[in-house]
Amino acid sequence: MYRHAVLCVCLTVLVLFPCSESCELRPVHALVPKTIPAGYIISKGTKELNLQGCGLRPVAFTSSDPDFAVNTDGTIITLRGMRITTKHFAVHVKDESGYDWRVDVILTCKDEASQKSGNVVHRRFKRRWRPLPFAIIENDSPPFPKDVETIASDSSVNYTVYYEISGPGVTTDPVGLFTLDRDTGMIRVNRAVDREQYPQFVFKAQVFDRRTQQETDQFLPITVNVEDKNDNAPQFVGSLFFTVQERCSAGTIVGKVNATDRDLAKTHHTLIKYTLLNATDMFLIDGFTGVLSAKSNNLDREAQEKVYVGIEIKDMGGAPDGLSNKGTAVVTLTDINDNPPTFKEKLYKGQVTENQQNVLVLRIPVEDKDMINTPSWKALYEVSKGNESGNFRMETDPKTNEGLLYVIKPLDHEKTPLVKLEVTARNEAPLVGTSATWQSVPVELTVGNEDEGPEFTAPILRLKVKENLPNGTVIGTYAALDPETKSSNGIKYYKLTDPGNWITVVENTGELKVANTIDRESPLVSNDLYNISVKAVDESKKIGKGMVILQIEDMNDNMPVIPGSELIMCSRGDTLSSVLVEGVDKDQSPYSTPFIFELGAEHDGKWKLKDATSSSVVLEQAVHMPNGLYTVPLLVKDLQGLGEAQTVNVRVCSCEREVDGVGVCGARSASSSLGSWGILALVLSGLLLLLLCLLLIFFCSTKREKVALNDDTGTGGMLLKSNTEAPGEEVKDGAFMTLAGADGLDGSVNGIMADIKNVGLAGGHYSQQFGQGGGVYNNTTQEFGTEKYYLSGRHNGSLYGANTTYQKYGNVNTLDTWRSNKNYLDRKLAYLGEEEDGRYADDLLKTYGNEGMGSPAGSVGCCSNLGEHETMDFLNTLGPKFRPLADVCYTTTNTKK
């Protein structure tokens, strides 16, 4: 049944289509061993590969599997050894007309068990499904459905079967593309399919027993290949914009045009041919690679900057029935400097007034065909001829590219009324790809005349003069001429600058006369040169200026001298010391060095000279001399014998160091020789320091008065220094003065104790002299907080000494009892504990730490915190030095009682 169906189809095709197009190639089936060696012939002279029955001749074979090759006669052979069970690949056959044919090759291994010994029981194996892979044509034309192929299973011999298929194209996307006649096994396609979307379908076929609904055979994968049809035109891929330099050589690659085709690769359906539609005189394109290149070296950007090139791409290798597409490539020509700037005129003329400078006199325009604002377009100008004096400068206008001609040095109408120049223009970039050269143009400038001021015969006049010339001496004439008349008539001369006022200019003649002494050694002279400036004024008040440089020649008007106040000669013990004496002369040779050194006639013979040079001599001791300051008469003469005796002060001292041969005296040596003025300065400094100390004591004593409290009971509260370990006679009762109130000390309460004067000791008795009243009582009022306290006390003056005049010790002490003092102190402490503002730091309570470990007296700070009441037991532990003091105090107290 299957063979009859195929025969009918073939007959129908042969009737409807020509023979070459009705050829149907069946797959090639080959039975091979499981192990195939290299070079094994699969099929020899295969008729399907030779296109037998198709009326065509094959010209090339291509295997889709690299393990197999096809000879020119259609024989399939293996290229390497392998083991297989089944193998499926394809062979592409290209015919003489350029079409590709596909032939499937299916390899099945032999059943080697059937070839073994006859003793083995032969077992028949169930044959598998037939047929082999199917093929349909993409985008096939209606009507649909169309029969594809019939499937059949050998199990249909023993069973009444039906078939089912499932998978892609059947039950999955695209669903319903294929259907199956379950009774006959005919597979049909129901609509057109696009190979570019679905190149292949692999679905599953199954066979079932109608009675038991059980599978009677194993399922079979069915492969349906969608054969390509040339239904996609090629498309351009990538950019079609290209750039190439103008004047490039022929064959220069401009770029590559890329295209693609969705049809089956490596077939005529995707074989694209490129063709230029225009600009064929400028460019070439490779028909199968798409490489675009320059055809000649005459591409000119100035003629056409962008070239629009039409390109056609066509598949089937450009065959008439191929599908095509068109596009436009844009080729931009980049600029090179193949055009020099050209002048618009053959001659440029301008005008300038004489004596003008730094002025623009002419604009010179140019044309350049190259790209604007590039180095190939920007022009550079220079005055190539006529600017030997440097009077002109050329610049470029950056906006217009014009040449700007400037006069930078004044021109003279009388010398050159017409100036001829030549201006050359070039680009920033060098010329390329052309035989043209840089161009030049002549320029003529007319120099206008104006009334000018007088001009000196020489801008700078140099004169040689000797120093110390007499006033009124004529040293030269500096004259000027009128440029128009070439005459000096009516011109007057005036001096502009003369730092030393050494020269006078004669107004009518321009003579230069000496006005003051010319001194070469003056600081106004530099390198023997002295400058003055002169102006000339004509009748029209025009001014011309000039300069006179005086080169002053030296005269012997300076004697050599020995600089410095004194020389230091370092004392070296018993060795005779020496010092270097140098002379200086402001004059030049031959009026200066070499000097002649001699000792003065009045020298004392203790010095001598040695090792003289052109400008120095060594002064050495003739005998050893102690440290001190010495004067040495020394005569110094220049080369002409001009000189005088000079006195040199030489200090001989013990040097603490020497710097570059010059000694530095030590501190002891320097202080021992101060002299009378130095001693007087030291005495005055000491007196000033003493006065400063007295002033400080005065200011400190005039601060807020503090109440002085006494701890004793009326003895005067003063401790006497004793050099004995026990109380002597000087510290007994008689040593203290008991002041009687009625005899001399009691007086008016308003009495003020004056200064104690002329206090002395005579015959073991004390004498006192008091001034400003006989009373010594002083009333003192001190404010603490808001309360006032009145303190009345006895003033006591205590004198100590023996047989000499002693300085006074003044003190204000109260003679009140301990109880009165306690009350006063309690009040003061209460006040100090309440407020801190406005008081001295000494009046504030402060906290101090214990000043020692185990001290029975605790802290001895003047303002320590008041703690527990301390007993007087610590007095028993005091050392022996305190006992004389205790005895004195005790004796004094008993005496007063």
Side-chain angles (χ1 to χ4, degrees):
M1 177 179 177
Y2 169 73
R3 294 180 179 178
H4 292 293
V6 173
L7 180 59
C8 293
V9 173
C10 291
L11 291 176
T12 304
V13 172
L14 290 174
V15 172
L16 295 178
F17 301 96
C19 179
S20 62
E21 295 183 358
S22 63
C23 178
E24 181 180 1
L25 299 180
R26 305 292 295 177
V28 176
H29 297 274
L31 195 63
V32 297
K34 184 177 292 185
T35 300
I36 305 176
Y40 182 83
I41 297 176
I42 302 298
S43 175
K44 186 174 182 180
T46 310
K47 61 180 181 179
E48 287 80 4
L49 299 182
N50 288 323
L51 305 179
Q52 291 184 6
C54 298
L56 297 171
R57 185 171 62 86
V59 295
F61 303 93
T62 304
S63 173
S64 64
D65 192 326
D67 293 335
F68 300 91
V70 183
N71 294 336
T72 55
D73 60 351
T75 299
I76 304 173
I77 61 174
T78 59
L79 296 178
R80 68 177 184 85
M82 67 188 74
R83 290 174 60 86
I84 63 171
T85 54
T86 58
K87 186 73 172 178
H88 181 199
F89 63 96
V91 176
H92 295 276
V93 183
K94 179 177 288 188
D95 62 18
E96 55 190 353
S97 63
Y99 285 97
D100 278 344
W101 301 83
R102 175 188 173 99
V103 179
D104 291 320
V105 179
I106 298 118
L107 305 181
T108 306
C109 65
K110 298 178 180 179
D111 186 3
E112 296 182 356
S114 63
Q115 301 176 6
K116 290 184 180 180
S117 170
N119 298 329
V120 179
V121 178
H122 292 276
R123 182 178 178 182
R124 179 173 180 175
F125 290 86
K126 185 186 299 184
R127 292 191 301 167
R128 293 297 312 276
W129 295 68
R130 64 174 187 13
L132 298 168
F134 306 142
I136 61 173
I137 299 175
E138 70 165 329
N139 296 325
D140 201 359
S141 58
F144 290 100
K146 291 186 177 182
D147 294 341
V148 177
E149 189 63 85
T150 301
I151 61 175
S153 173
D154 290 343
S155 63
S156 60
V157 177
N158 300 322
Y159 301 94
T160 301
V161 299
Y162 67 92
Y163 301 93
E164 289 184 358
I165 57 176
S166 61
V170 182
T171 57
T172 60
D173 188 51
V175 178
L177 179 63
F178 297 100
T179 57
L180 173 69
D181 187 332
R182 58 184 296 166
D183 296 327
T184 63
M186 175 59 72
I187 298 176
R188 296 184 177 90
V189 60
N190 298 314
R191 59 182 181 273
V193 64
D194 187 4
R195 188 204 67 84
E196 286 69 42
Q197 186 176 7
Y198 301 105
Q200 186 182 72
F201 296 94
V202 179
F203 49 85
K204 182 172 65 173
Q206 295 174 284
V207 57
F208 298 91
D209 183 5
R210 288 180 179 274
R211 185 176 61 84
T212 62
Q213 307 298 318
Q214 299 292 325
E215 284 191 75
T216 61
D217 204 344
Q218 295 181 1
F219 72 87
L220 176 69
I222 301 298
T223 300
V224 178
N225 295 318
V226 182
E227 294 185 352
D228 185 40
K229 186 177 182 180
N230 191 20
D231 56 346
N232 290 279
Q235 301 291 330
F236 288 97
V237 178
S239 176
L240 292 177
F241 291 88
F242 305 101
T243 301
V244 70
Q245 195 178 72
E246 67 170 334
R247 306 289 182 183
C248 63
S249 58
T252 301
I253 295 177
V254 178
K256 185 177 184 298
V257 179
N258 296 306
T260 186
D261 197 315
R262 295 182 61 198
D263 292 324
L264 185 61
K266 297 182 180 180
T267 65
H268 270 62
H269 298 167
T270 57
L271 182 60
I272 300 173
K273 185 175 182 180
Y274 301 84
T275 306
L276 292 182
L277 301 179
N278 66 320
T280 55
D281 59 331
M282 303 172 68
F283 302 101
L284 292 173
I285 192 168
D286 188 283
F288 291 97
T289 63
V291 175
L292 185 66
S293 59
K295 187 176 182 179
S296 67
N297 57 357
N298 295 323
L299 298 178
D300 189 3
R301 188 203 66 84
E302 288 71 35
Q304 186 176 2
E305 184 176 357
K306 294 183 181 293
V307 183
Y308 297 89
V309 182
I311 300 176
E312 180 187 62
I313 51 177
K314 197 172 188 179
D315 60 14
M316 300 297 293
D321 57 346
L323 301 178
S324 64
N325 210 337
K326 295 180 181 178
T328 301
V330 180
V331 180
T332 301
L333 302 180
T334 59
D335 187 39
I336 63 171
N337 193 19
D338 57 340
N339 293 280
T342 58
F343 296 97
K344 296 181 179 180
E345 304 291 339
K346 295 184 178 180
L347 174 66
Y348 290 92
K349 294 183 179 182
Q351 187 172 1
V352 61
T353 303
E354 66 174 339
N355 300 322
Q356 286 186 336
Q357 59 184 359
N358 296 320
V359 293
L360 175 65
V361 296
L362 190 62
R363 282 181 171 268
I364 304 176
V366 295
E367 291 181 346
D368 197 316
K369 295 180 181 180
D370 293 317
M371 186 175 293
I372 296 177
N373 294 326
T374 63
S376 301
W377 176 82
K378 295 179 180 178
L380 301 175
Y381 301 88
E382 66 172 343
V383 181
S384 52
K385 291 183 181 179
N387 193 29
E388 290 77 9
S389 305
N391 295 84
F392 303 96
R393 182 184 78 246
M394 290 294 299
E395 293 183 1
T396 303
D397 190 321
K399 295 182 178 179
T400 63
N401 211 29
E402 293 176 316
L404 308 178
L405 179 62
Y406 288 88
V407 174
I408 58 175
K409 291 174 62 177
L411 297 172
D412 190 353
H413 170 79
E414 287 71 29
K415 294 181 180 179
T416 312
L418 180 66
V419 179
K420 294 184 178 181
L421 306 174
E422 183 181 84
V423 175
T424 302
R426 53 173 48 89
N427 294 126
E428 292 182 359
L431 290 172
V432 179
T434 180
S435 59
T437 58
W438 308 121
Q439 296 187 7
S440 301
V441 66
V443 176
E444 293 182 356
L445 291 180
T446 302
V447 181
N449 188 23
E450 68 172 3
D451 187 11
E452 300 172 286
E455 295 180 354
F456 285 97
T457 54
I460 299 177
L461 177 64
R462 295 180 178 270
L463 297 175
K464 288 186 177 182
V465 296
K466 293 182 178 293
E467 64 175 337
N468 303 320
L469 287 176
N471 294 348
T473 303
V474 177
I475 60 175
T477 301
Y478 196 24
L481 300 176
D482 190 312
E484 282 76 22
T485 63
K486 305 298 181 182
S487 171
S488 299
N489 296 332
I491 297 178
K492 297 184 180 301
Y493 303 91
Y494 303 94
K495 183 173 60 174
L496 289 177
T497 60
D498 183 4
N501 198 25
W502 290 349
I503 304 297
T504 298
V505 180
V506 179
E507 181 177 336
N508 295 323
T509 63
E511 287 183 330
L512 305 176
K513 295 183 179 181
V514 177
N516 288 296
T517 301
I518 299 176
D519 185 8
R520 191 195 67 83
E521 291 75 33
S522 171
L524 301 176
V525 177
S526 176
N527 296 326
D528 298 340
L529 300 178
Y530 179 78
N531 301 339
I532 65 173
S533 59
V534 180
K535 70 176 180 179
V537 183
D538 61 13
E539 295 178 348
S540 62
K541 304 303 180 182
K542 297 290 183 178
I543 298 176
K545 296 180 181 180
M547 178 177 288
V548 179
I549 299 178
L550 302 182
Q551 184 172 355
I552 304 174
E553 297 179 355
D554 189 29
M555 299 292 292
N556 194 14
D557 56 345
N558 291 280
M559 292 183 294
V561 296
I562 299 174
S565 59
E566 65 180 19
L567 302 177
I568 302 298
M569 180 179 291
C570 295
S571 177
R572 295 180 173 84
D574 297 334
T575 304
L576 296 178
S577 302
S578 62
V579 66
L580 181 67
V581 180
E582 292 184 306
V584 177
D585 195 330
K586 294 181 179 179
D587 293 327
Q588 292 179 332
S589 181
Y591 305 118
S592 59
T593 57
F595 297 144
I596 300 173
F597 296 91
E598 297 176 357
L599 289 173
E602 63 275 16
H603 76 91
D604 53 5
K606 296 181 179 181
W607 307 92
K608 61 181 179 179
L609 300 177
K610 69 174 184 178
D611 300 335
T613 65
S614 62
S615 62
S616 65
V617 69
V618 175
L619 177 64
E620 187 181 37
Q621 297 174 347
V623 295
H624 183 270
M625 290 179 285
N627 292 350
L629 183 63
Y630 302 88
T631 57
V632 180
L634 194 63
L635 177 63
V636 185
K637 299 179 182 179
D638 61 16
L639 184 61
Q640 307 300 325
L642 180 63
E644 63 181 3
Q646 304 177 46
T647 300
V648 179
N649 295 323
V650 180
R651 180 173 300 280
V652 181
C653 64
S654 298
C655 297
E656 64 179 13
R657 66 181 184 276
E658 287 191 34
V659 181
D660 297 332
V662 178
V664 178
C665 291
R668 178 179 299 178
S669 297
S671 63
S672 64
S673 303
L674 291 176
S676 59
W677 288 106
I679 296 173
L680 180 60
L682 290 178
V683 172
L684 292 176
S685 300
L687 293 177
L688 289 176
L689 182 60
L690 179 60
L691 178 60
L692 178 60
C693 293
L694 294 176
L695 289 176
L696 290 176
I697 293 172
F698 172 75
F699 284 121
C700 292
S701 63
T702 56
K703 292 183 180 179
R704 181 186 300 181
E705 183 179 358
K706 299 181 183 180
V707 176
L709 301 179
N710 191 13
D711 294 339
D712 59 16
T713 59
T715 62
M718 301 194 67
L719 299 178
L720 301 180
K721 181 178 179 181
S722 175
N723 293 329
T724 61
E725 297 181 356
E729 294 180 356
E730 67 275 15
V731 295
K732 297 299 182 178
D733 296 344
F736 293 91
M737 295 179 64
T738 303
L739 303 178
D743 293 338
L745 297 179
D746 295 337
S748 173
V749 295
N750 293 324
I752 300 173
M753 185 182 74
D755 191 16
I756 301 175
K757 303 178 181 178
N758 299 325
V759 180
L761 181 64
H765 297 279
Y766 294 95
S767 63
Q768 303 178 7
Q769 183 178 353
F770 300 90
Q772 295 187 8
V776 294
Y777 281 94
N778 181 26
N779 298 330
T780 303
T781 302
Q782 180 70 39
E783 293 185 10
F784 295 100
T786 58
E787 299 184 12
K788 296 185 178 179
Y789 297 90
Y790 180 80
L791 304 178
S792 63
R794 184 185 300 271
H795 294 277
N796 180 17
S798 300
L799 302 175
Y800 306 91
N803 300 325
T804 56
T805 301
Y806 295 86
Q807 189 174 357
K808 177 195 71 173
Y809 288 85
N811 189 14
V812 178
N813 299 310
T814 65
L815 301 178
D816 296 329
T817 62
W818 280 98
R819 183 174 299 173
S820 299
N821 290 338
K822 177 178 182 301
N823 294 333
Y824 169 73
L825 290 174
D826 290 341
R827 294 291 188 111
K828 182 173 182 179
L829 291 174
Y831 165 68
L832 294 177
E834 292 174 356
E835 185 176 340
E836 293 181 2
D837 295 335
R839 299 198 300 273
Y840 292 103
D842 294 339
D843 291 336
L844 299 180
L845 293 177
K846 300 181 178 63
T847 300
Y848 288 83
N850 197 317
E851 296 180 355
M853 296 298 294
S855 173
S859 174
V860 295
C862 66
C863 300
S864 301
N865 288 340
L866 298 177
E868 297 180 357
H869 179 72
E870 297 179 353
T871 65
M872 305 301 290
D873 296 338
F874 71 93
L875 294 175
N876 298 326
T877 61
L878 297 176
K881 292 184 180 181
F882 186 77
R883 290 194 176 277
L885 177 62
D887 293 339
V888 171
C889 294
Y890 178 78
T891 303
T892 304
T893 302
N894 292 336
T895 304
K896 280 188 174 287
K897 289 182 180 180

